[in-house]
Amino acid sequence: MSKAKKIEDCAFAWCARRERPDWSASDQAELDAWLAESTEHRVAMLRMEYGWQRVDRLAALRASSLRQKVPIISQRLPDARGPWLSMAAGFLLVLGLGSLGLSQWMDGGTQRYVTVVGGHETVPLRDGSHVELNTDTRLRASVDEKARTVWLDKGEAYFEVAHDPKRPFVVYAGDRRVVVLGTHFLVRRDGDRIEVIVAEGRVRVEAVDAGKALKPAIITPGNMVVSESGSMLVASTSLEKVESELAWRRGYLVFDKTSLASVAEQFNRYNDKKVVINDPATSDTRISGSFEANNVDAFARLLQRAYGLSVTDDKEHLLIASPD
Amino acid sequence: MKDVRQVNEWFTREVLPLEPLLMRFFRRNWRSESDLADLRQELYVRIYEFGLKEIPLQTKPFVFMAARNLLINHVRRARIVSIEAMADLDAMNIAVDMVTPEREITARDELRQLQIGLNNLPPRCREVVTLRRIEGLSQREVAEKLSVGEDTVEKQMMYGMRALINFMLGGSGKIQRRPKGSRKNKAVGHE
């Protein structure tokens, strides 16, 4: 067998092993060590993760049970039209459309939830807590008599935790653990970067690996934690900021003198049609206001009218440039 | 030195989706199918290490130029260089330009492709993957339902995942059972 194939087998084995619910901090350390050995390992792992992630969308093919278990569709509609529309939605799913939002399935007692780009769903957990998943998010939850555990694999989620002192509620995001002391809070994960924002109550953020000499941080409303590769920063933030960070729950994006480059990044998290900025001069244009996250076309029109930028729409991209 | 996370993200978002095109390019310009996985691996290492220093502005032309240089190096390293091989390599410039820009794959296309990959699996394997990944049954439940051992379910599941990943990355999606001793019945397509 060629060298590349052997490495590929290892990468596959790692991906499979990481799926198991008993994946621990020491497993992670072992994987990190393997990755650090060579670039060969690193690229093979990236490639396998990429493939694995695409296959993970299989869950979106799940049709019938989705409708019963997750009251996504009926919840939003007037009662009289509910049954008809949710039937229609069920039908669309049978055709294999993942864009409707959430998919979930069980895996050895662990419930898994996935939203696609543009998706936004609230799911109840067995203990009465609620998790609200933002766009392009993957998480796993395991709730039993002794513990309540959630792994945020990717994306962003808002938690409303039912009070239960006997069962701690713990959210794992990368190498950080958020221990809930009864509350409403947000966790966002983008690779190694983790942000935690509290809307109500208190949480404790700590390293998963107790060996790391990181002081746990306790955060309260108006505080946020930003953690990235080994460091953890507690910043105070205004309640308005918390409110605007949570605007996606209402389907909005809120910006306050934000650069066009990062505004585009935000929109691109929610839409398949991507905003592309063609010249650097415009990317620093400051944008303020609140926008519907899924209505990128309206945003483009505003750029055209209010900021005088040139917008070209080729159906898949919105190309933004300064006027000639 | 760039932030590793940034490089990983770039590699996943811009380089890996080019793989089907890239393998087509390799296959057209390299005779021995059995070298392809190693060539790809070597190329990815170079691209990634380059990215650590500087992320190229235009990923696609960069990737294909690097692929071309890699093949040229391999031809030079080979002791016997046929005139034919060199001529082909010169023509590769054109081949890179002619590669058609692929449409961005939407979530919907992807699901359709997954469905095709799933249909290509052998029946037993497909059944296991469907029950586990789509219906969401546990390993034990699947074993009971199909009256087979749990280890069979696990093995089929691994075969299935592997084949599907291969298919989603632009390979044939054929199951690769490790042949005992010989490599005679190697599956077709790259992985």
Side-chain angles (χ1 to χ4, degrees):
Chain A
M1 196 183 356
S2 82
K3 190 177 165 217
K5 291 220 171 112
K6 257 182 234 152
I7 296 177
E8 195 178 310
D9 284 352
C10 289
F12 179 76
W14 278 116
C15 280
R17 195 165 142 197
R18 194 161 54 177
E19 286 275 292
R20 294 211 299 257
D22 59 353
W23 177 256
S24 69
S26 69
D27 290 331
Q28 180 68 43
E30 211 179 308
L31 170 59
D32 289 341
W34 184 74
L35 289 175
E37 268 171 36
S38 72
T39 309
E40 269 101 340
H41 293 177
R42 208 171 271 279
V43 291
M45 190 67 187
L46 283 173
R47 176 170 178 272
M48 198 51 79
E49 279 171 341
Y50 172 76
W52 190 283
Q53 227 165 57
R54 297 182 67 184
V55 174
D56 246 358
R57 295 264 167 82
L58 269 181
L61 292 173
R62 185 177 196 183
S64 52
S65 52
L66 188 64
R67 194 160 28 101
Q68 308 153 7
K69 278 201 178 167
V70 189
I72 344 169
I73 296 144
S74 50
Q75 223 172 36
R76 288 207 189 124
L77 297 165
D79 284 349
R81 293 167 58 204
W84 185 83
L85 272 168
S86 54
M87 251 169 70
F91 176 61
L92 285 175
L93 280 167
V94 173
L95 289 178
L97 301 193
S99 46
L100 270 173
L102 186 84
S103 7
Q104 63 164 3
W105 69 104
M106 284 287 285
D107 202 356
T110 306
Q111 191 84 25
R112 303 162 57 95
Y113 303 92
V114 177
T115 54
V116 296
V117 172
H120 173 193
E121 303 304 338
T122 304
V123 292
L125 298 182
R126 283 197 342 226
D127 65 328
S129 301
H130 286 84
V131 183
E132 198 167 337
L133 289 81
N134 200 358
T135 175
D136 201 10
T137 296
R138 282 203 303 167
L139 67 77
R140 292 168 285 149
S142 152
V143 173
D144 59 29
E145 280 64 46
K146 277 175 272 160
R148 300 177 288 176
T149 313
V150 172
W151 296 267
L152 179 65
D153 293 321
K154 182 185 177 197
E156 186 171 18
Y158 180 76
F159 298 87
E160 290 187 8
V161 177
H163 187 65
D164 184 351
K166 275 186 246 121
R167 285 186 291 177
F169 194 101
V170 181
V171 180
Y172 288 88
D175 60 353
R176 290 291 175 275
R177 173 167 59 202
V178 183
V179 181
V180 178
L181 316 162
T183 189
H184 299 180
F185 67 105
L186 170 90
V187 181
R188 182 184 297 150
R189 172 170 181 195
D190 183 8
D192 283 343
R193 186 184 163 87
I194 290 130
E195 288 177 22
V196 184
I197 297 173
V198 173
E200 224 181 286
R202 266 166 7 121
V203 303
R204 185 174 73 224
V205 184
E206 60 198 18
V208 171
D209 177 3
K212 288 196 183 147
L214 260 179
K215 245 179 80 184
I218 294 197
I219 55 172
T220 50
N223 278 336
M224 69 185 286
V225 162
V226 180
S227 142
E228 199 163 0
S229 50
S231 69
M232 203 146 76
L233 172 79
V234 182
S236 66
T237 171
S238 65
L239 288 176
E240 283 91 317
K241 177 96 179 352
V242 173
E243 186 56 38
S244 71
E245 290 284 354
L246 294 176
W248 61 266
R249 298 185 53 222
R250 295 177 281 119
Y252 283 93
L253 293 172
V254 178
F255 304 113
D256 181 22
K257 299 193 209 76
T258 311
S259 74
L260 181 53
S262 58
V263 170
E265 217 169 275
Q266 288 289 319
F267 270 104
N268 292 347
R269 285 178 64 205
Y270 294 87
N271 298 285
D272 285 327
K273 194 197 254 182
K274 304 295 181 201
V275 179
V276 178
I277 300 162
N278 266 349
D279 65 317
T282 52
S283 64
D284 205 38
T285 308
R286 299 285 148 169
I287 311 282
S288 299
S290 54
F291 306 90
E292 279 176 83
N294 292 322
N295 197 345
V296 68
D297 292 308
F299 173 69
R301 280 196 296 278
L302 176 104
L303 286 180
Q304 221 163 2
R305 282 198 213 120
Y307 292 82
L309 297 171
S310 120
V311 177
T312 320
D313 185 351
D314 72 359
K315 300 275 182 277
E316 286 162 14
H317 304 94
L318 285 162
L319 307 166
I320 315 287
S322 47
D324 316 299
Chain B
M1 198 72 157
K2 289 271 168 196
D3 178 1
V4 170
R5 191 176 62 92
Q6 216 177 329
V7 179
N8 287 350
E9 212 234 338
W10 162 74
F11 194 83
T12 305
R13 197 189 55 225
E14 296 198 32
V15 180
L16 290 172
L18 296 172
E19 189 166 311
L21 274 183
L22 187 68
M23 294 316 285
R24 224 177 298 155
F25 174 79
F26 275 157
R27 210 165 278 135
R28 206 165 41 210
N29 293 294
W30 198 257
R31 279 180 195 74
S32 153
E33 180 81 23
S34 60
D35 293 337
L36 294 186
D38 287 316
L39 280 175
R40 185 191 61 224
Q41 169 86 330
E42 194 178 344
L43 179 70
Y44 280 172
V45 168
R46 285 188 185 195
I47 291 173
Y48 186 88
E49 284 177 347
F50 185 92
L52 284 174
K53 282 177 262 156
E54 185 190 344
I55 290 181
L57 282 174
Q58 301 263 5
T59 302
K60 193 162 153 188
F62 170 78
V63 165
F64 282 92
M65 200 43 79
R68 177 174 179 272
N69 292 342
L70 182 73
L71 291 189
I72 290 178
N73 281 350
H74 274 272
V75 171
R76 288 205 182 123
R77 233 180 284 156
R79 305 204 49 138
I80 306 158
V81 181
S82 75
I83 290 170
E84 197 196 348
M86 286 311 280
D88 280 356
L89 287 167
D90 282 339
M92 270 192 313
N93 269 332
I94 305 160
V96 173
D97 294 338
M98 287 195 337
V99 168
T100 47
E102 70 280 53
R103 210 160 47 88
E104 192 128 325
I105 300 167
T106 64
R108 205 168 299 176
D109 296 333
E110 194 154 85
L111 281 180
R112 215 167 283 142
Q113 209 186 337
L114 264 175
Q115 186 82 69
I116 295 168
L118 198 58
N119 290 343
N120 287 346
L121 295 177
R124 172 49 63 89
C125 184
R126 181 170 62 229
E127 202 169 5
V128 168
V129 173
T130 306
L131 289 172
R132 287 278 281 135
R133 266 348 222 207
I134 304 180
E135 301 294 321
L137 299 188
S138 73
Q139 192 163 295
R140 182 154 19 96
E141 286 167 330
V142 176
E144 274 165 21
K145 191 159 179 165
L146 304 178
S147 344
V148 292
E150 272 194 58
D151 50 340
T152 309
V153 172
E154 190 175 4
K155 209 173 352 161
Q156 291 291 344
M157 190 61 204
M158 289 296 119
Y159 280 142
M161 279 305 281
R162 195 75 198 264
L164 278 173
I165 289 172
N166 171 295
F167 185 72
M168 292 308 281
L169 290 170
S172 65
K174 297 250 166 66
I175 293 233
Q176 316 222 337
R177 290 207 164 78
R178 187 110 305 129
K180 277 181 194 122
S182 84
R183 299 180 56 189
K184 243 191 317 201
N185 40 0
K186 199 168 77 70
V188 192
H190 83 281
E191 59 239 77

